[in-house]
Amino acid sequence: MSAPAVWPGAPFPLGATWDGRGTNFSLFSENATAVWLCLFDEGGRETRVALNERTAFHWHGYLPEVGPGQRYGYRVDGPWEPAAGHRFNPAKLLIDPYAKAIAGPVDHAAADLRAQREDDRERNGVDSAPAVPRCVVIDPRFDWEDDRPPRTPWHETVIYEAHVRGLTKRHPGVREDLRGTYAGLASEAAIAHLRELGASAVELLPVHQIADETHLAEKGLTNYWGYSSIGYLAPHSEYAATGRLGEQVREFKGMVKALHREGIEVILDVVYNHTAEGDHRGPMLSFKGIDNRSYYRCDPEDPRHYVDFTGTGNSLNPMHPSVLRLIMDSLRYWVLEMHVDGFRFDLASALAREFYDVDRLSSFFDVIHQDPVLSQVKLIAEPWDVGPGGYQVGNFPVLWTEWNGLYRDEVRDFWRGHTHGVAQLASRLTGSSDLYQRDGRRPFASINFVTAHDGFTMADLVAYDHKHNEANGEDNRDGTDDNRSWNHGVEGPTDDPSIRELRARQRRNLMATLVLSQGVPMLVGGDEFARSQEGNNNAYCQDNDLSWLEWEPDEEGRAMHAFARRVLALRRAHPVFHRRDFFRGEVGPSGLPDIRWLRSDGRDISRRDWTRGDLRTLGLFLNGEEIPGPGPEGEPVLDDSFVMILNAHHEPVRFRLPARRFGNRWRQVLDTAAPEAPEDSRSWAAWADVAVEARSLMVLRRAW
């Protein structure tokens, strides 16, 4: 390849930007002394172009002969001073942090990716180009037609957490060459399942370009979950059905458009807290070689090493304005150009650390809150990291919702019989006002979940007391030991019909509790089929049948699917199960309170009852005539009224219905002990005793 013409170009926008005639390249590096743009032809031959223009630490140039499909990377020179945090090494090919498309995976076996020799005193001179994927110049044009974001209100949102590959890899209704891809998720078969189940949003595990860690590559494993980002503006190339350069961008856009057409939002799980480059011994792929001291949080007492709030070896440095800009530019790109509807921020507390403490008023929040684009999309925090003081459930600012880890723990404990009474459960069922009300947030600030990708599936939660992660190759040391699970007498699969029936009922209890609680329910893909991971609670590296969804489930799986659809339809049909505002506990115009807590004898739960550690049964009256509306006048939304009874006791209870003024007659809507019983098949008069099976949940609707 002959040396191309180079014009000065412009420092902005960063990355490779094709304008129809040529491409502008711009790379930020504050501490570099030289930058080369490396162009690759189809045969892999490299041509280096020096970028001599430098404006405000941006190295830039315009190449009039370069267009879409061009493969490229960078080499950057500067001081090799690890003790000062500088690790420049021009022998290493580097990925553009602003690349819109990246071709192929990192090949750890092809070349030595480490920046330094073992003693850390000199640079490693091995050329890493054979191992590093190429960035690709893209044509951004795409026909969005009349695509519009669904903008589903938070209180009506139901989130389905899924993996792009795992969702359709085994789906018989998806064309074989599309399974496990963006196009597969856009297929009618996949979308029909989401629509019929009742999901309003799909939350995708990371889709930014992923690089597997060295220790996984050595074991023949991959980072299946994808929490190992290396390209924050590039959709992961391995999830594209076509191998054509840059086509993953168009395919991702097509997926979003197809989901939006059916009213389903797309939320991305994003990992801006760390990168795939690991600690100081890890591979040099991008940021470490472009400007290590700027991009990462180096230990101020020993800049050779990183401050690690994530448990991965490094932490990105959002305190640096150019790193914060990268994060914000990435977020805006995915909203404006890729049309996604929101984000779930992995280990979000790490982003909120100004120095060491988690700061609610950090620059990260300030920039998002003032941004006219990002302040209008769905923002979900995983409100913890692994650093000191990192557990911040309930402490994120307005505009943010949070994965509610306290909800998960309390619901698991209640149904396995390990709670100290029902006071905490009552708070979690009603939106966790103790966490979110004081700063003006609403029940939907609580993203309720019982299971997530990280941990046991719902089926394993009731089938295993202990993790079984041997397949991960870490001698079962990885993954949490705090599972709050119960195997009901046998570890793993069993033929005992009584245990199988109880486990199935417990799955229904967990699903019904999750769906009918105030707040936003998040289901994990496959829980609706009672999917098992054979007790593996950390299947992050299992890109195989263990993680992929089973679309031809057995009888128990089909029954669970039918129940999940039924309870989600109940939530969708009745606003009383997804109120916009917290309960007040006050008597309204209907002459009744909006909520009433009930003992099994039909009386109000007393203050003393709330402190009883042995109480395992809880009832609540939900007044469908006292639901504040969205308008300024607060006109109520009228709905049916319900009584919900949760019995985690190991014995049946007789539950007395409330007095006549709450309702003359009540009809059965749902019973987890009799899941196939038709709605309205049983009814009871006021003050009647209802037989509630051990470890079961019932929902009754007021008939008149």
Side-chain angles (χ1 to χ4, degrees), residues 618-678:
L618 177 66
L620 54 158
F621 165 76
L622 301 171
N623 190 345
E625 299 179 72
E626 299 289 347
I627 307 174
E633 301 300 322
E635 290 296 322
V637 176
L638 296 180
D639 191 13
D640 294 330
S641 295
F642 293 84
V643 165
M644 186 159 63
I645 307 165
L646 299 88
N647 178 31
H649 199 267
H650 64 275
E651 294 181 345
V653 299
R654 306 290 296 181
F655 194 96
R656 178 156 293 182
L657 294 174
R660 190 176 300 275
R661 68 190 182 93
F662 287 89
N664 290 317
R665 194 154 196 87
W666 299 86
R667 295 186 180 277
Q668 173 192 301
V669 176
L670 198 72
D671 184 355
T672 61
E676 298 179 0

Coordinates of all heavy atoms in Angstrom, one line a residue, residues 618-678:
L618 N -48.4 -13.0 55.7 CA -48.7 -11.6 55.5 C -49.8 -11.4 54.5 O -49.8 -12.0 53.4 CB -47.5 -10.8 55.0 CG -47.6 -9.3 54.8 CD1 -47.9 -8.5 56.0 CD2 -46.3 -8.8 54.1
G619 N -50.8 -10.6 54.8 CA -51.9 -10.2 53.8 C -51.9 -8.7 53.6 O -51.5 -7.9 54.5
L620 N -52.3 -8.3 52.4 CA -52.4 -6.9 52.2 C -53.6 -6.6 51.3 O -53.9 -7.4 50.3 CB -51.2 -6.3 51.6 CG -50.5 -6.9 50.3 CD1 -49.6 -5.8 49.6 CD2 -49.6 -8.1 50.6
F621 N -54.4 -5.6 51.6 CA -55.5 -5.1 50.8 C -55.0 -4.0 50.0 O -54.4 -3.0 50.5 CB -56.6 -4.7 51.8 CG -57.7 -3.8 51.1 CD1 -58.6 -4.4 50.2 CD2 -57.7 -2.4 51.2 CE1 -59.6 -3.6 49.6 CE2 -58.7 -1.7 50.6 CZ -59.6 -2.3 49.8
L622 N -55.2 -4.1 48.7 CA -54.8 -3.1 47.7 C -56.1 -2.4 47.1 O -56.9 -3.1 46.4 CB -54.0 -3.7 46.6 CG -52.7 -4.4 47.0 CD1 -52.1 -5.2 45.9 CD2 -51.7 -3.5 47.6
N623 N -56.2 -1.1 47.4 CA -57.4 -0.4 47.0 C -57.3 0.1 45.6 O -56.6 1.1 45.4 CB -57.7 0.7 48.0 CG -59.0 1.4 47.8 OD1 -59.7 1.2 46.8 ND2 -59.5 2.1 48.8
G624 N -58.1 -0.4 44.7 CA -58.0 0.0 43.3 C -58.7 1.3 43.0 O -58.7 1.9 41.9
E625 N -59.4 1.9 44.0 CA -60.1 3.2 43.9 C -59.2 4.3 44.4 O -59.7 5.5 44.4 CB -61.4 3.2 44.6 CG -62.4 2.1 44.1 CD -63.7 2.2 44.9 OE1 -64.5 3.1 44.8 OE2 -63.9 1.2 45.7
E626 N -58.1 4.0 44.9 CA -57.2 5.1 45.5 C -55.8 5.0 44.8 O -54.8 4.9 45.5 CB -57.1 4.8 47.0 CG -58.3 4.9 47.8 CD -58.9 6.3 47.9 OE1 -58.2 7.3 47.5 OE2 -60.1 6.5 48.2
I627 N -55.8 5.1 43.5 CA -54.6 5.2 42.7 C -54.4 6.6 42.1 O -55.2 6.9 41.2 CB -54.6 4.1 41.6 CG1 -54.9 2.7 42.2 CG2 -53.2 4.1 40.9 CD1 -55.0 1.7 41.1
P628 N -53.5 7.4 42.6 CA -53.4 8.7 42.1 C -53.0 8.7 40.6 O -52.3 7.9 40.1 CB -52.2 9.3 42.9 CG -52.1 8.5 44.1 CD -52.6 7.1 43.7
G629 N -53.7 9.6 39.8 CA -53.4 9.6 38.4 C -52.2 10.5 38.1 O -51.6 11.1 38.9
P630 N -51.8 10.5 36.8 CA -50.6 11.3 36.4 C -50.9 12.8 36.2 O -49.9 13.5 36.1 CB -50.3 10.6 35.0 CG -51.6 10.2 34.5 CD -52.4 9.7 35.7
G631 N -52.1 13.2 36.1 CA -52.4 14.6 35.8 C -52.2 15.5 37.0 O -52.0 15.0 38.2
P632 N -52.1 16.8 36.8 CA -51.9 17.8 37.9 C -53.0 17.7 39.0 O -52.7 18.1 40.1 CB -51.8 19.1 37.2 CG -52.5 18.9 35.9 CD -52.3 17.5 35.5
E633 N -54.2 17.4 38.6 CA -55.3 17.3 39.6 C -55.3 16.0 40.4 O -56.0 15.9 41.3 CB -56.6 17.5 38.9 CG -56.8 18.8 38.1 CD -56.6 20.0 39.0 OE1 -57.1 19.9 40.1 OE2 -56.0 21.0 38.5
G634 N -54.5 15.1 39.9 CA -54.4 13.8 40.6 C -55.7 13.0 40.6 O -56.0 12.2 41.5
E635 N -56.4 13.1 39.5 CA -57.7 12.3 39.4 C -57.3 10.8 39.5 O -56.4 10.4 38.8 CB -58.4 12.6 38.1 CG -59.0 14.0 38.0 CD -60.1 14.1 39.0 OE1 -60.9 13.2 39.2 OE2 -60.2 15.2 39.6
P636 N -58.0 10.1 40.3 CA -57.6 8.7 40.5 C -57.8 7.8 39.3 O -58.7 8.0 38.5 CB -58.5 8.2 41.7 CG -59.7 9.1 41.6 CD -59.2 10.4 41.2
V637 N -56.9 6.8 39.2 CA -57.1 5.8 38.2 C -57.9 4.7 38.8 O -57.5 4.1 39.9 CB -55.7 5.2 37.7 CG1 -55.9 4.1 36.7 CG2 -54.9 6.3 37.1
L638 N -59.1 4.3 38.3 CA -59.9 3.3 38.9 C -59.6 1.9 38.4 O -59.4 1.7 37.2 CB -61.4 3.7 38.5 CG -61.9 5.0 39.1 CD1 -63.4 5.2 38.7 CD2 -61.8 5.1 40.6
D639 N -59.5 1.0 39.4 CA -59.1 -0.4 39.1 C -59.9 -1.2 40.1 O -60.5 -0.7 41.0 CB -57.6 -0.5 39.3 CG -57.1 -1.9 38.8 OD1 -57.8 -2.6 38.1 OD2 -55.9 -2.2 39.1
D640 N -59.8 -2.5 39.9 CA -60.3 -3.5 40.9 C -59.5 -3.4 42.2 O -58.3 -2.9 42.2 CB -60.3 -4.9 40.4 CG -61.2 -5.1 39.2 OD1 -62.2 -4.4 39.1 OD2 -60.9 -5.9 38.3
S641 N -60.0 -3.9 43.3 CA -59.3 -4.0 44.5 C -59.0 -5.5 44.8 O -59.7 -6.4 44.4 CB -60.1 -3.4 45.7 OG -60.3 -2.1 45.5
F642 N -57.9 -5.7 45.5 CA -57.3 -7.1 45.6 C -56.9 -7.3 47.1 O -56.5 -6.4 47.8 CB -56.1 -7.3 44.7 CG -56.5 -7.3 43.3 CD1 -56.5 -6.1 42.6 CD2 -56.7 -8.5 42.6 CE1 -56.8 -6.1 41.2 CE2 -57.0 -8.5 41.2 CZ -57.0 -7.3 40.5
V643 N -56.9 -8.6 47.5 CA -56.2 -9.0 48.6 C -55.1 -10.0 48.2 O -55.4 -10.9 47.4 CB -57.2 -9.7 49.6 CG1 -56.4 -10.5 50.7 CG2 -58.0 -8.6 50.3
M644 N -53.9 -9.8 48.6 CA -52.8 -10.7 48.3 C -52.3 -11.3 49.6 O -52.1 -10.6 50.6 CB -51.7 -10.0 47.6 CG -50.6 -10.9 47.2 SD -49.5 -10.2 45.8 CE -48.8 -8.8 46.7
I645 N -52.2 -12.6 49.7 CA -51.8 -13.4 50.9 C -50.5 -14.1 50.6 O -50.4 -14.9 49.6 CB -52.9 -14.4 51.3 CG1 -54.2 -13.7 51.4 CG2 -52.5 -15.1 52.6 CD1 -55.4 -14.6 51.5
L646 N -49.5 -13.9 51.4 CA -48.2 -14.6 51.2 C -48.0 -15.5 52.5 O -47.9 -14.9 53.6 CB -47.0 -13.6 51.1 CG -47.1 -12.7 49.9 CD1 -47.9 -11.4 50.2 CD2 -45.7 -12.4 49.4
N647 N -47.9 -16.8 52.3 CA -47.7 -17.7 53.4 C -46.4 -18.5 53.2 O -46.3 -19.4 52.4 CB -48.9 -18.6 53.6 CG -48.6 -19.6 54.7 OD1 -48.0 -19.3 55.7 ND2 -49.2 -20.8 54.6
A648 N -45.3 -18.1 53.9 CA -44.0 -18.8 53.9 C -43.9 -19.8 55.0 O -42.8 -20.4 55.1 CB -42.9 -17.8 53.9
H649 N -45.0 -20.0 55.7 CA -44.9 -21.0 56.8 C -44.9 -22.4 56.2 O -45.4 -22.7 55.1 CB -46.2 -20.9 57.7 CG -46.0 -21.5 59.0 ND1 -46.4 -22.8 59.3 CD2 -45.5 -21.0 60.2 CE1 -46.2 -23.0 60.6 NE2 -45.6 -22.0 61.1
H650 N -44.4 -23.4 57.0 CA -44.3 -24.7 56.4 C -45.6 -25.5 56.6 O -45.7 -26.7 56.2 CB -43.1 -25.5 57.1 CG -43.4 -25.7 58.6 ND1 -43.0 -24.8 59.5 CD2 -43.9 -26.7 59.3 CE1 -43.3 -25.2 60.7 NE2 -43.9 -26.4 60.6
E651 N -46.6 -24.8 57.2 CA -47.9 -25.4 57.3 C -49.0 -24.5 56.7 O -48.8 -23.3 56.6 CB -48.2 -25.6 58.8 CG -47.4 -26.6 59.5 CD -47.7 -26.8 61.0 OE1 -48.5 -25.9 61.5 OE2 -47.3 -27.8 61.6
P652 N -50.1 -25.1 56.3 CA -51.2 -24.3 55.8 C -51.7 -23.4 56.9 O -51.6 -23.6 58.1 CB -52.3 -25.3 55.4 CG -51.6 -26.6 55.3 CD -50.5 -26.5 56.3
V653 N -52.4 -22.3 56.4 CA -53.0 -21.4 57.4 C -54.4 -21.1 56.9 O -54.8 -21.2 55.8 CB -52.3 -20.0 57.5 CG1 -50.9 -20.2 58.0 CG2 -52.3 -19.3 56.2
R654 N -55.3 -20.7 57.9 CA -56.6 -20.3 57.6 C -56.6 -18.7 57.7 O -56.3 -18.2 58.7 CB -57.7 -20.8 58.6 CG -57.7 -22.3 58.8 CD -58.2 -23.0 57.6 NE -59.6 -22.7 57.4 CZ -60.4 -23.2 56.4 NH1 -59.8 -24.0 55.5 NH2 -61.6 -22.9 56.2
F655 N -56.8 -18.1 56.6 CA -56.7 -16.7 56.5 C -58.1 -16.1 56.4 O -58.8 -16.3 55.5 CB -55.9 -16.2 55.3 CG -55.4 -14.8 55.3 CD1 -54.2 -14.5 55.8 CD2 -56.3 -13.8 54.9 CE1 -53.7 -13.2 55.9 CE2 -55.9 -12.5 55.0 CZ -54.6 -12.2 55.4
R656 N -58.4 -15.2 57.4 CA -59.8 -14.6 57.4 C -59.8 -13.3 56.6 O -58.9 -12.4 56.8 CB -60.2 -14.3 58.8 CG -61.5 -13.6 59.0 CD -62.2 -13.8 60.3 NE -62.5 -15.2 60.5 CZ -63.2 -15.7 61.5 NH1 -63.5 -14.9 62.5 NH2 -63.5 -17.0 61.6
L657 N -60.7 -13.2 55.7 CA -60.8 -12.0 54.8 C -61.3 -10.9 55.6 O -62.0 -11.0 56.7 CB -61.8 -12.3 53.6 CG -61.3 -13.4 52.7 CD1 -62.3 -13.7 51.6 CD2 -60.0 -12.9 52.0
P658 N -61.0 -9.6 55.2 CA -61.4 -8.4 55.9 C -62.9 -8.2 56.0 O -63.7 -8.9 55.3 CB -60.7 -7.3 55.2 CG -60.5 -7.8 53.8 CD -60.3 -9.3 54.0
A659 N -63.3 -7.2 56.7 CA -64.8 -7.0 57.0 C -65.5 -6.5 55.7 O -64.9 -6.2 54.7 CB -64.9 -5.9 58.0
R660 N -66.8 -6.5 55.8 CA -67.7 -6.3 54.7 C -67.4 -4.9 54.0 O -67.6 -4.8 52.8 CB -69.2 -6.4 55.1 CG -70.1 -6.4 53.9 CD -71.6 -6.5 54.5 NE -71.7 -7.8 55.2 CZ -72.0 -9.0 54.6 NH1 -72.1 -9.0 53.2 NH2 -72.1 -10.1 55.3
R661 N -67.0 -3.9 54.8 CA -66.8 -2.6 54.2 C -65.6 -2.6 53.2 O -65.5 -1.8 52.3 CB -66.5 -1.6 55.2 CG -65.2 -1.7 56.0 CD -65.2 -0.8 57.2 NE -63.9 -0.8 58.0 CZ -62.9 -0.1 57.7 NH1 -63.0 0.9 56.8 NH2 -61.8 -0.2 58.4
F662 N -64.8 -3.6 53.2 CA -63.7 -3.8 52.2 C -64.2 -4.5 51.0 O -63.5 -4.4 49.9 CB -62.5 -4.5 52.9 CG -61.7 -3.7 53.8 CD1 -62.1 -3.6 55.2 CD2 -60.7 -2.9 53.4 CE1 -61.4 -2.9 56.1 CE2 -60.0 -2.1 54.3 CZ -60.3 -2.1 55.7
G663 N -65.2 -5.3 51.1 CA -65.7 -6.0 50.0 C -66.7 -7.1 50.5 O -66.4 -7.8 51.4
N664 N -67.8 -7.2 49.8 CA -68.8 -8.3 50.2 C -68.3 -9.7 49.7 O -68.7 -10.6 50.4 CB -70.1 -8.0 49.5 CG -70.8 -6.7 50.2 OD1 -70.8 -6.6 51.4 ND2 -71.4 -5.9 49.3
R665 N -67.7 -9.7 48.6 CA -67.3 -11.0 48.1 C -66.0 -10.9 47.3 O -65.6 -9.9 46.7 CB -68.4 -11.6 47.2 CG -68.2 -13.1 46.9 CD -69.5 -13.8 46.6 NE -69.4 -15.2 46.7 CZ -69.6 -15.9 47.8 NH1 -69.9 -15.3 48.9 NH2 -69.5 -17.2 47.8
W666 N -65.2 -12.0 47.4 CA -63.9 -12.1 46.8 C -63.7 -13.3 46.0 O -64.2 -14.4 46.3 CB -62.8 -12.1 47.9 CG -62.8 -10.9 48.8 CD1 -63.6 -10.7 49.9 CD2 -62.1 -9.7 48.6 NE1 -63.4 -9.4 50.4 CE2 -62.5 -8.8 49.6 CE3 -61.2 -9.3 47.6 CZ2 -62.0 -7.5 49.7 CZ3 -60.7 -8.0 47.7 CH2 -61.0 -7.1 48.7
R667 N -63.1 -13.2 44.8 CA -62.9 -14.3 43.9 C -61.4 -14.6 43.7 O -60.6 -13.6 43.6 CB -63.6 -14.0 42.5 CG -65.1 -13.9 42.6 CD -65.7 -13.7 41.2 NE -67.1 -13.6 41.2 CZ -67.9 -14.6 41.3 NH1 -67.5 -15.9 41.3 NH2 -69.2 -14.5 41.3
Q668 N -61.1 -15.8 43.5 CA -59.7 -16.2 43.3 C -59.2 -15.7 42.0 O -59.9 -15.9 41.0 CB -59.6 -17.7 43.4 CG -58.2 -18.2 43.1 CD -58.1 -19.7 42.9 OE1 -58.4 -20.4 43.8 NE2 -57.8 -20.2 41.7
V669 N -58.0 -15.2 41.9 CA -57.4 -14.8 40.7 C -56.2 -15.7 40.4 O -55.9 -16.1 39.3 CB -57.0 -13.3 40.7 CG1 -56.2 -12.9 39.5 CG2 -58.2 -12.4 40.9
L670 N -55.4 -15.9 41.5 CA -54.1 -16.6 41.4 C -53.9 -17.4 42.7 O -54.1 -16.9 43.8 CB -53.0 -15.6 41.2 CG -51.7 -16.1 40.6 CD1 -51.8 -16.5 39.1 CD2 -50.6 -15.0 40.7
D671 N -53.4 -18.6 42.5 CA -53.0 -19.5 43.6 C -51.8 -20.3 43.2 O -51.9 -21.1 42.3 CB -54.1 -20.4 44.1 CG -53.8 -21.2 45.3 OD1 -52.7 -21.1 45.8 OD2 -54.7 -21.9 45.8
T672 N -50.6 -20.0 43.8 CA -49.4 -20.7 43.4 C -49.5 -22.2 43.8 O -48.7 -23.0 43.2 CB -48.2 -20.1 44.0 OG1 -48.2 -20.1 45.4 CG2 -48.0 -18.6 43.5
A673 N -50.4 -22.6 44.7 CA -50.5 -24.0 45.1 C -51.5 -24.7 44.1 O -51.5 -25.9 44.1 CB -51.0 -24.1 46.5
A674 N -52.2 -23.9 43.3 CA -53.1 -24.5 42.3 C -53.0 -23.7 41.0 O -53.9 -22.9 40.7 CB -54.5 -24.5 42.8
P675 N -51.9 -23.7 40.4 CA -51.6 -22.8 39.3 C -52.5 -22.9 38.1 O -52.6 -22.0 37.3 CB -50.1 -23.1 38.9 CG -49.9 -24.5 39.3 CD -50.8 -24.7 40.6
E676 N -53.1 -24.1 37.9 CA -54.0 -24.3 36.7 C -55.4 -24.0 37.0 O -56.3 -24.2 36.1 CB -53.8 -25.7 36.2 CG -52.3 -26.0 35.7 CD -52.1 -27.4 35.2 OE1 -53.1 -28.2 35.3 OE2 -51.0 -27.8 34.8
A677 N -55.7 -23.7 38.3 CA -57.1 -23.4 38.6 C -57.6 -22.2 37.8 O -56.9 -21.1 37.9 CB -57.3 -23.1 40.1
P678 N -58.7 -22.2 37.2 CA -59.2 -21.1 36.4 C -59.5 -19.9 37.3 O -59.9 -20.0 38.5 CB -60.5 -21.6 35.7 CG -60.4 -23.1 35.8 CD -59.6 -23.4 37.0

